[in-house]
Amino acid sequence: MPEENKPSPRFLTIDQVATELNIGQPLVRGLLKSGELRGFQLGGRNIWRIGTDDLQDYIDDAYRKTAERIAAGDLDETPTEEV
């Protein structure tokens, strides 16, 4: 099947989410365990799946929280990572 005709996956792995957010797998696992990122665990082997809608909800919420912090003047404008 050509690449442009492939349907988007409904669920993502921890590795796929980490790649999408450009963060490490341990941070994704922490977000799942804290409940900040919604996902579900399959079986007893620590296999997680995250819905694409749940990832988008997390991203939208992160944007909203950041905008609120900017409006409140709570963000430090000193860069902490390379761009």
Side-chain angles (χ1 to χ4, degrees), residues 75-81:
L75 277 182
D76 179 9
E77 303 217 9
T78 307
T80 57
E81 62 181 72

Side-chain angles (χ1 to χ4, degrees), residues 37-54:
L37 176 60
R38 189 169 175 241
F40 61 94
Q41 194 172 18
L42 297 169
R45 300 190 58 171
N46 210 18
I47 297 172
W48 287 86
R49 292 295 179 264
I50 300 94
T52 53
D53 290 342
D54 294 320

Side-chain angles (χ1 to χ4, degrees), residues 17-83:
V17 171
T19 299
E20 183 73 22
L21 295 176
N22 197 27
I23 60 176
Q25 290 183 15
L27 182 51
V28 175
R29 288 184 187 282
L31 291 170
L32 287 164
K33 290 178 182 178
S34 73
E36 286 184 68
L37 176 60
R38 189 169 175 241
F40 61 94
Q41 194 172 18
L42 297 169
R45 300 190 58 171
N46 210 18
I47 297 172
W48 287 86
R49 292 295 179 264
I50 300 94
T52 53
D53 290 342
D54 294 320
L55 177 57
Q56 189 59 53
D57 289 346
Y58 172 79
I59 293 168
D60 293 343
D61 191 47
Y63 275 118
R64 181 189 56 76
K65 287 178 181 176
T66 301
E68 288 173 358
R69 290 178 63 201
I70 290 170
D74 291 341
L75 277 182
D76 179 9
E77 303 217 9
T78 307
T80 57
E81 62 181 72
E82 279 187 34
V83 271

Side-chain angles (χ1 to χ4, degrees), residues 2-16:
E3 192 69 29
E4 64 271 358
N5 292 334
K6 280 189 176 180
S8 296
R10 182 172 174 190
F11 298 103
L12 303 170
T13 64
I14 286 179
D15 187 48
Q16 290 169 318

